[in-house]
Amino acid sequence: MKASLKSIGNKGSYVFNENKKITQLGKSGRVEEAIKIFSQMSQKNTVTYNSMISAYAKNGRVNDARKLFEQMPQRNLVSWNSMIAGYLHNDKVKEARELFDKMFRPDLFSWALMITCYTRKGELEKARELFDLLPNKEDTPCWNAMVAGYAKIGNYNEAKKLFDAMPSKNIVSWNSMLSGYTKNGEMHLALKFFEAMEERDVVSWNLMLDGYVELDDLDSAWKFFQKIPEQNVVSWVTLLSGYARNGRMLEARRLFDQMPIRNVVAWNAMIAAYVQRGQIEEAARLFIEMPERNPVSWTTMIDGYVRIAKLDEARRLLDQMPYKNIAAQTAMISGYVQNKRMDEANQIFDKIGTHDVVCWNVMIKGYAQCGRMDEAINLFIQMVNKDIVTWNTMIAGYAQIGQMDNAVKIFEEMGKRRNTVSWNSLISGFLQNEFHLDALQIFVLMTQEGKKADHSTLACALSACAHLAALQIGRQIHHLAIKSGYVNDLFVGNSLITMYAKCGRIQNAELLFKDADPVDVISWNSLIAGYAINGNATEAIKLFEEMIMEGVTPDPVTFIGVLSACSHVGLVDWGLKLFECMTEVYAIEPLVEHYACMIDLLSRAGRLDEAFEMVKGMKIKPNAGIWGTLLGACRMHQNIKLGRIAVEKLSELEPQKTSHYALLSNMHAEAGRWDEVEKVRVSMEGRGAQKQPGCSWIEVKNQIHTFLSGDPKQCRTAEICNTLKTLAAQIRNTPLAVII
């Protein structure tokens, strides 16, 4: 009998100890080790399963947690609550509610968990509905959750009403109300409430301290810190982090050195502060001195090295890390992705047992950014739990390599999951690939579906209008920007300046620039380019000089605008001086666009030899635009010899285009060299060059109509042709004197 009892006791002790290990490993992020212990256990009880469910959920593996929950031979209330808590931890409110509704008899903890799920997500109406159904209205945790929820969103009246109506309050109740004030920066209300509190604990003091720190009111924070009766590690770390975030690293370090007790959280906070400021050497010194490290310590250091692109150091640490977690591995993958080292990123990715959604997204984004869409789509298909970021990454990836059909396909598959970023990704994709009309049409569809545009949406739509010279639609978007409060956004403001300038309304662009606050270099560039487009070189140069006087440093785009202005009106000497200023004073290496402006400027002035010498001296390979500009000037100045060179280069770069052959042919025809005209025609046919159909568009009653030569798709082609015939007949029958 004694032996039997001893055996049962030993088994119970074994299961208890293993359960404890699983819990501890789950808390420290070592979930793979927890899984190993769980699978090797010869005996398991309900607590074993509950501990493993919590370990999975705390490490983002909520689907594995649910799978285990379904496999449990027997569940108790703790099992159900652990699973609901797992969903709460991973922001899966819908799944939590579905599970809650399946419970036979939820206890008060279940109710409090579910109400907290809703309040944390800001879904106060659903939380209140559940709260009103409470079987026991005396349950303080549920009241606390509701008070915290209302206070968090700034609905202090409702929060205070519930707080005052509570049948009983505890310190958590007071702190729930206080946290609403501090989290929303209402420190005058917070202080008034704090002073009226019937009881306080260190959490109350820390909430006040954190409120001042979040407002960067570090003097008040320091004074308040000194008043705290019993400072704990959170008090010290909160103030330390505030100093670090504001660049006051000496004070942060002094505080760290003065701490009476430094646990691993304090060490991690100081290391993270150095990492955030880019002081990786100081962070490394502290890391070496640490008496103990946890996964956060290792992950912070790995992330620090990744931030400054010291990937070999980061990888060395990852390899040394005793218990690798998904966060550290994802940080390393992210570093490789940022530096386009996808094969090394994939090596780490393949070693991870179970990937979380962040890890999948980083890899997919990496392949997409490198243009390796086959590999990106392969991962996308394998990924079971895609989130909105995954879908949006795929849209942006296809757009980046010009596969807009595939981008649209992904967008359509998303259905109701689409958010503003999804729409923006598609609109900007069309814009990047110069499908300006498609971009505008998607924007219109977005507004028709009642989706709210943000500053990126409006800026992209305005850019499309600028390229299409769609002034009326641009004006409507301007009104929408005013209505939605984005008109003062810098991004939108700059797009408005560009739109009005490209639509020939330079005065509107000037007014917007003068009223803009703040302005950046892009604002100056937009107006300078606007003057250039509208042939006002004097104003462009004047604004450029004003920009320099204001202390704004010009960038490559600035010089493209001002050189273009000089080119349009033939200010050769000014252009040459500006080009020299760009390279000598501002050390800006010329881009192909700068060379194009200069070659156009010299060519228009008939200085073709200088233009050709500049082409030959370019540090980058001349593109078709450069040779095309030179060819156009050769025709203007009848330089057939140089024209032939330009056409040869163009035929190598754009063998299928006929426009350059046509120009050379016209040059020979104008010189009466008909045999040369025939040679050009034969050469063109031999290369298989085909004439590209012309395209034009017009805006009528807020609608863009496109016309493509020989395109039967224009729905009113017959009507247009009939009208043209009628007009032609009327002109023929109208006396010449009347026409004059």
Side-chain angles (χ1 to χ4, degrees):
M1 180 71 176
K2 285 182 181 178
S4 177
L5 287 172
K6 187 177 180 182
S7 173
I8 292 169
N10 288 339
K11 286 177 183 176
S13 177
Y14 160 75
V15 173
F16 175 81
N17 288 331
E18 297 300 280
N19 290 349
K20 191 176 178 182
K21 286 179 188 175
I22 290 170
T23 301
Q24 289 170 340
L25 289 168
K27 285 180 179 177
S28 63
R30 293 154 62 181
V31 70
E32 294 298 334
E33 293 174 72
I35 294 168
K36 190 175 180 181
I37 290 173
F38 178 83
S39 2
Q40 291 175 352
M41 285 177 70
S42 55
Q43 287 184 310
K44 302 181 181 80
N45 59 16
T46 306
V47 177
T48 314
Y49 282 91
N50 293 344
S51 302
M52 196 63 233
I53 286 168
S54 295
Y56 273 134
K58 282 174 182 173
N59 289 276
R61 294 171 61 169
V62 70
N63 293 322
D64 290 324
R66 182 58 186 266
K67 187 178 178 181
L68 189 62
F69 176 81
E70 297 295 343
Q71 292 171 355
M72 285 182 74
Q74 189 175 358
R75 303 185 193 111
N76 59 14
L77 265 173
V78 176
S79 314
W80 289 86
N81 289 339
S82 296
M83 195 62 238
I84 292 172
Y87 282 131
L88 169 62
H89 184 76
N90 289 276
D91 288 329
K92 292 186 176 289
V93 179
K94 182 184 174 185
E95 291 86 346
R97 181 58 190 267
E98 287 172 356
L99 197 63
F100 176 82
D101 289 339
K102 289 178 181 178
M103 290 182 75
F104 175 67
R105 191 174 293 168
D107 64 0
L108 290 173
F109 185 63
S110 317
W111 285 89
L113 272 174
M114 198 59 239
I115 290 170
T116 304
C117 273
Y118 283 129
T119 56
R120 283 194 184 174
K121 292 289 284 184
E123 298 181 23
L124 270 298
E125 287 183 14
K126 291 181 181 178
R128 189 58 182 262
E129 285 173 12
L130 207 59
F131 178 77
D132 291 339
L133 294 172
L134 261 174
N136 182 1
K137 286 291 193 293
E138 303 294 315
D139 183 49
T140 304
C142 291
W143 286 83
N144 291 343
M146 286 305 305
V147 169
Y150 280 121
K152 181 183 175 183
I153 64 168
N155 190 343
Y156 306 123
N157 290 334
E158 197 62 37
K160 192 68 168 62
K161 194 189 295 182
L162 274 176
F163 178 81
D164 292 338
M166 287 180 74
S168 62
K169 300 182 184 75
N170 57 20
I171 187 62
V172 178
S173 315
W174 289 90
N175 288 341
S176 296
M177 192 70 212
L178 179 64
S179 70
Y181 292 130
T182 59
K183 295 295 181 189
N184 288 291
E186 301 284 357
M187 292 308 294
H188 61 293
L189 295 174
L191 185 59
K192 186 178 177 182
F193 186 81
F194 178 81
E195 290 172 345
M197 286 176 71
E198 295 176 2
E199 57 175 322
R200 303 171 189 146
D201 62 2
V202 70
V203 174
S204 319
W205 287 90
N206 287 344
L207 282 169
M208 288 295 296
L209 179 65
D210 185 61
Y212 287 121
V213 166
E214 286 301 311
L215 290 175
D216 294 331
D217 186 358
L218 296 181
D219 292 337
S220 298
W222 169 245
K223 289 174 186 174
F224 202 84
F225 174 79
Q226 292 177 302
K227 293 178 184 177
I228 299 176
E230 294 180 13
Q231 297 149 344
N232 64 5
V233 172
V234 174
S235 316
W236 289 86
V237 168
T238 299
L239 188 57
L240 182 156
S241 300
Y243 281 132
R245 192 176 67 209
N246 285 272
R248 294 163 66 169
M249 293 302 295
L250 291 176
E251 289 157 289
R253 182 57 190 261
R254 192 180 301 124
L255 209 61
F256 175 77
D257 292 337
Q258 291 172 357
M259 287 181 71
I261 299 172
R262 292 196 294 253
N263 63 8
V264 70
V265 174
W267 285 86
N268 288 345
M270 194 66 233
I271 289 171
Y274 281 128
V275 165
Q276 292 288 334
R277 303 299 300 180
Q279 296 176 250
I280 195 68
E281 292 82 6
E282 290 296 328
R285 270 192 281 272
L286 272 186
F287 181 76
I288 292 166
E289 292 172 16
M290 286 182 81
E292 63 167 324
R293 300 170 186 145
N294 65 7
V296 175
S297 320
W298 289 89
T299 304
T300 303
M301 280 304 302
I302 290 167
D303 181 59
Y305 282 120
V306 164
R307 283 168 180 249
I308 58 172
K310 287 193 173 183
L311 301 187
D312 293 339
E313 290 294 327
R315 182 59 184 267
R316 181 180 58 80
L317 277 183
L318 182 66
D319 291 340
Q320 291 174 2
M321 191 174 176
Y323 309 109
K324 297 172 181 60
N325 63 2
I326 190 74
Q329 290 166 315
T330 303
M332 191 69 246
I333 289 171
S334 180
Y336 284 134
V337 162
Q338 288 164 23
N339 290 273
K340 300 191 182 334
R341 291 163 63 172
M342 289 307 302
D343 293 337
E344 289 160 288
N346 192 53
Q347 286 174 5
I348 296 174
F349 183 79
D350 286 342
K351 289 177 183 176
I352 298 172
T354 303
H355 309 91
D356 64 9
V357 69
V358 176
C359 190
W360 282 99
N361 286 342
V362 169
M363 281 299 295
I364 290 171
K365 184 179 180 181
Y367 280 128
Q369 287 179 340
C370 292
R372 293 164 65 172
M373 287 307 295
D374 288 343
E375 287 147 302
I377 195 68
N378 185 39
L379 286 182
F380 180 78
I381 292 166
Q382 291 178 45
M383 192 174 174
V384 178
N385 299 297
K386 304 174 183 72
D387 66 1
I388 191 70
V389 175
T390 319
W391 291 88
N392 291 342
T393 300
M394 290 301 296
I395 293 171
Y398 277 126
Q400 184 178 305
I401 61 171
Q403 293 185 14
M404 290 310 299
D405 289 344
N406 284 328
V408 170
K409 186 180 176 183
I410 293 286
F411 180 81
E412 288 174 345
E413 284 178 19
M414 290 178 75
K416 292 181 179 179
R417 285 171 291 194
R418 294 187 289 239
N419 63 3
T420 303
V421 177
S422 316
W423 289 92
N424 289 352
S425 298
L426 193 62
I427 293 168
S428 65
F430 278 122
L431 206 57
Q432 290 162 21
N433 289 283
E434 299 187 2
F435 297 118
H436 305 112
L437 183 56
D438 297 88
L440 208 51
Q441 286 171 341
I442 295 296
F443 170 75
V444 171
L445 181 63
M446 179 183 180
T447 56
Q448 286 173 346
E449 290 193 10
K451 306 298 179 185
K452 191 175 180 182
D454 66 6
H455 66 286
S456 295
T457 325
L458 297 172
C460 287
L462 286 166
S463 181
C465 290
H467 282 91
L468 296 168
L471 179 61
Q472 296 308 315
I473 297 176
R475 280 176 170 161
Q476 289 181 25
I477 297 171
H478 188 176
H479 291 312
L480 181 59
I482 295 168
K483 188 178 177 181
S484 58
Y486 288 116
V487 73
N488 293 321
D489 178 87
L490 191 58
F491 196 25
V492 174
N494 292 341
S495 299
L496 280 166
I497 292 169
T498 301
M499 186 275 293
Y500 279 115
K502 285 193 174 181
C503 290
R505 297 295 191 272
I506 195 66
Q507 290 180 330
N508 297 70
E510 288 172 334
L511 287 171
L512 282 163
F513 179 80
K514 287 172 184 174
D515 291 341
D517 185 25
V519 294
D520 63 359
V521 67
I522 298 172
S523 315
W524 292 89
N525 291 348
S526 299
L527 191 55
I528 288 171
Y531 283 131
I533 291 164
N534 288 276
N536 199 335
T538 305
E539 289 299 324
I541 294 167
K542 184 180 173 184
L543 189 63
F544 173 77
E545 291 173 338
E546 187 182 331
M547 176 184 179
I548 304 300
M549 293 293 290
E550 290 284 335
V552 181
T553 304
D555 65 7
V557 178
T558 316
F559 282 99
I560 291 171
V562 75
L563 287 172
S564 176
C566 293
S567 172
H568 286 167
V569 293
L571 295 175
V572 181
D573 292 337
W574 255 106
L576 290 167
K577 285 179 184 177
L578 285 166
F579 190 77
E580 184 181 358
C581 170
M582 179 183 79
T583 54
E584 299 298 325
V585 178
Y586 293 101
I588 295 172
E589 283 294 319
L591 302 172
V592 70
E593 291 85 359
H594 299 117
Y595 283 116
C597 290
M598 290 306 299
I599 290 158
D600 185 49
L601 177 63
L602 292 167
S603 298
R604 285 176 187 243
R607 295 159 70 165
L608 292 179
D609 291 339
E610 290 175 70
F612 187 44
E613 285 302 315
M614 181 171 277
V615 173
K616 289 193 290 184
M618 284 175 65
K619 295 179 181 179
I620 48 181
K621 187 179 179 181
N623 64 9
I626 297 287
W627 290 110
T629 299
L630 196 61
L631 177 59
C634 287
R635 186 197 174 184
M636 185 188 301
H637 299 285
Q638 282 299 301
N639 191 327
I640 294 176
K641 182 181 177 182
L642 187 53
R644 278 204 190 98
I645 296 171
V647 167
E648 282 301 315
K649 295 293 183 181
L650 283 165
S651 64
E652 292 171 11
L653 295 167
E654 298 176 331
Q656 298 302 314
K657 279 198 173 181
T658 60
S659 55
H660 37 271
Y661 290 105
L663 267 177
L664 183 61
S665 177
N666 290 341
M667 288 168 65
H668 285 305
E670 287 165 5
R673 299 178 179 177
W674 300 106
D675 54 335
E676 295 294 330
V677 172
E678 180 60 21
K679 285 179 184 177
V680 171
R681 187 188 66 77
V682 171
S683 174
M684 183 176 75
E685 290 175 354
R687 292 176 182 269
Q690 295 180 346
K691 184 171 171 59
Q692 300 296 313
C695 179
S696 61
W697 57 86
I698 188 171
E699 181 186 13
V700 179
K701 293 182 179 179
N702 299 328
Q703 187 176 355
I704 306 292
H705 298 270
T706 55
F707 302 91
L708 191 66
S709 178
D711 182 13
K713 293 179 183 177
Q714 168 55 246
C715 60
R716 303 182 70 177
T717 299
E719 189 180 345
I720 292 167
C721 290
N722 288 334
T723 303
L724 284 171
K725 286 177 183 177
T726 303
L727 284 171
Q730 288 177 357
I731 291 168
R732 279 196 300 270
N733 296 328
T734 302
L736 184 60
V738 174
I739 296 174
I740 295 171

